[in-house]
Amino acid sequence: MTDPTALPAEPRMTPALAAEHGLKADEYDRLLAIIGRLPSVTELGIVSAMWSEHCSYKSSKVWLRRLPTEAPWVIHGPGENAGVVDIGDGLAAVFKMESHNHPSFIEPYQGAATGVGGILRDVFTMGARPVASLNALRFGSPDHPKTRHLLAGVVAGIGGYGNCVGVPTVGGEMDFHPAYNGNILVNAMTVGVARTDRLFTSAAVGVGNPVVYVGSKTGRDGIHGATMASAEFSDDAEAKRPTVQVGDPFTEKLLIEACLELMATEAIIAIQDMGAAGLTSSSVEMAGKGGLGIVLDLDCVPCRETGMTAYEIMLSESQERMLMVLRPGHEAVAQAIFAKWDLDFAVIGRLTDSGRLVVRRQDRVRADLPIAPMVEQAPLYERPWLPTREPTSVTVAATDLPLDHAASLVRLLADPDLCSKRWVWEQYDRHVGADTVFASGEADAAVVRVAGGPRALAMTADCTPRYCAADPVTGGRQAVAEAWRNLTAVGARPLALTDNLNFGNPEKPDIMGQLAGCVRGMAEACRALDFPVVSGNVSLYNETEGHAILPTPAIGGVGLLEDACMAVGIGLTRSGVALLLLGGDPGHLGQSLFLRVCLDRVEGPPPPVDLALERRVGDLVRALIRDRLVEACHDLSGGGLLVGVAEMVLAGSHGVDLTPAGQRDATFWFGEDQGRYLVATPDEEAVCRRAVDALVPVRPLGRTSGDGIVLAGGRTLDRDGLAAAHESWLPQWMDGVL
């Protein structure tokens, strides 16, 4: 009879096997030089995972170093599980954004669900209770046969996991473009709150200290997840389904509570989520950061399948698992807590002073690798790059511009990129926990109270990929500036950002040029706006059959309101209030949605980003909100001024009479110039005076009245017609009507 626990014989080590693991010939030679012999298959698996693009950032690290990461309020910047900023009174905001792009394309429900689970763990690993989640989603053309299926699965996965775990999903964004037909983007963000004196990091400390495994059992799901996420897709994407993890939100909820309960004791020295590359990355990173070695006995790892090899256990990406270093003598306390929450607990190793990772399975050493060289000598590339060709200016003759602004507005409101995403966010529990002040559709940024006090956190996720494709530097600036504006528009002081840099194959100089340009623009904006980067993720090789996605550097921003009651939304809720435009006069049509939707043209440069003006206008807007001179505020972006007005009308209970703005052409109403806000104020004179004093352009547009929009000449757009155009496309498309 065959012994079900017997391990299979290891395959013969060859350069071809190394190539199958994603190691290039020179990288395999580097591994041989480091260890001085042929590796075992387990060692090959460990190194290939640690040196994958997903784990090592080998193509992007030289550029990421250019981003500003420090500020007086930053407690932990990049390098930990999540970024941490001080929000006062002994509390900190902990947040990060990560991608689950490849898994979500292969298996949309589980790919998106485990993306949510992974980012939640990154946050509570730091000692924070998660308080809100967001997402940034990109799908292919609505006409593509897979798009509807992928969108339905992703949204169901996000809602299914987040709703069950009890963390509100409060905001996000969703766009469509043919460039994502073969490679959708699912970027998940979570924000948590922790005590500044109870923050936990991942650096292992203390020779001889026990290393413990907690959470769910290990299975064969997710093996090679990190290497799969570091390669282009081909037409065999379905065959990669076994590399997608399977999540259990109910176990995640238990894990959150158990970890936070143990964190209230003195037991934990270091803690790390078992994310990409599972036990491999968590053990290597913890020991490496502490300058120590680690011995793991895999016979002690709780497994849900028989006969698992050391290779499989080390590379499994089964979900809801954590690795900890405990203080000696605290094992029983920890075990009791995890038993109470019905979770696995096992001492699986100890820290050593050897500086080596030693892995044992069935009384044999399966891996013995030096940790420091494996980390410090990991491949690091300064890949050749080409700047993106500067687009030619767009010229639109007056005779080419539609004269019927009402019809243009209706077309824009019904466009897949601008239409209401209510069908999506109604599937998310946005108010669980009872601390949500504003969520999707109600304000430019979500606002969530900090429990136990008057303050609130504002949060947003933003990017305009079409701008980044036309001019990566300007697109990078704009992505950061828009996140900063959205936080400002609710009255929050922007604190810091997390990013998710999604690009194609970095081995192509034009793609690498997109990444280089976007990072340069982001860095300029971060410095100008005092908006440092404290965490993030890079997702490369987002290509299928050589077709790359648009460059998509998603920005997740977090800000602070000293009083949640001061937050303002976008809805117009009272009659007789003045509507003002703060910022420069509109007129830029390059790369605008109006140009694409109404004129069927995609051309020109994106709107320039004047960072000095951004700072000036934003600082004024926050001051006006603080002084209670603003009742509603909306930052202007896609679709331009008239779309922004319509969104304020639809979000509130009152319309607006724009006849004082006079007869204006389409460039005025639909240009996407940056650094602009619409503000509704009961004291027009005071706001105008302060704008002039602050050297901020200001233009009165009209006053709230009725329930629709009145244009020059008396043309009225009724609320019902606007709402029908805005609300109907997505549910009808999902039902197959369109």
Side-chain angles (χ1 to χ4, degrees), residues 38-39 43 95 109 132 154 179 211 263 282 285 309 321 330 338 400 403 422 441 447 469 487 503 553 582 597 654 715:
L38 289 176
E43 291 171 333
F95 57 99
Y109 184 95
V154 164
V211 176
M263 287 168 171
S282 55
E285 289 174 9
T309 65
R321 304 179 302 155
H330 287 71
F338 283 92
D400 293 334
L403 298 178
R422 183 184 301 275
V447 178
L487 299 173
F503 293 85
L582 294 177
V597 173
H654 285 69
R715 175 72 182 276

Side-chain angles (χ1 to χ4, degrees), residues 555-570:
I555 303 297
V558 172
L560 177 67
L561 285 137
E562 294 298 336
D563 186 347
C565 295
M566 300 295 294
V568 298
I570 66 172

Side-chain angles (χ1 to χ4, degrees), residues 436 479 540 674:
T436 303
L540 303 180
Q674 300 296 293

Side-chain angles (χ1 to χ4, degrees), residues 521-686:
M522 289 169 55
E524 291 173 358
C526 289
R527 291 190 177 92
L529 301 174
D530 286 335
F531 200 31
V533 180
V534 296
S535 61
N537 174 246
V538 178
S539 175
L540 303 180
Y541 295 96
N542 288 291
E543 297 196 11
T544 297
E545 298 293 329
H547 298 288
I549 62 166
L550 298 182
T552 311
I555 303 297
V558 172
L560 177 67
L561 285 137
E562 294 298 336
D563 186 347
C565 295
M566 300 295 294
V568 298
I570 66 172
L572 300 176
T573 59
R574 197 157 64 93
S575 182
V577 173
L579 188 66
L580 306 179
L581 173 65
L582 294 177
D585 269 351
H588 188 97
L589 291 183
Q591 296 301 320
S592 67
L593 289 175
F594 171 81
L595 197 67
R596 188 187 79 191
V597 173
C598 298
L599 298 183
D600 197 26
R601 293 166 60 177
V602 178
E603 59 188 274
V609 180
D610 183 336
L611 292 170
L613 179 63
E614 286 278 3
R615 184 65 183 261
R616 225 165 38 245
V617 183
D619 289 350
L620 171 65
V621 168
R622 285 195 306 280
L624 294 172
I625 293 173
R626 181 194 62 220
D627 295 339
R628 299 185 184 276
L629 288 170
V630 173
E631 294 186 359
C633 182
H634 192 12
D635 125 85
L636 292 180
S637 53
L641 174 55
L642 195 54
V643 168
V645 171
E647 289 170 340
M648 296 182 81
V649 169
L650 293 174
S653 56
H654 285 69
V656 61
D657 183 348
L658 296 176
T659 55
Q663 292 282 1
R664 299 280 179 172
D665 67 13
T667 62
F668 178 84
W669 292 116
F670 303 112
E672 295 184 6
D673 304 71
Q674 300 296 293
R676 301 181 299 149
Y677 301 77
L678 287 172
V679 296
T681 176
D683 194 339
E684 178 179 350
E685 181 180 348

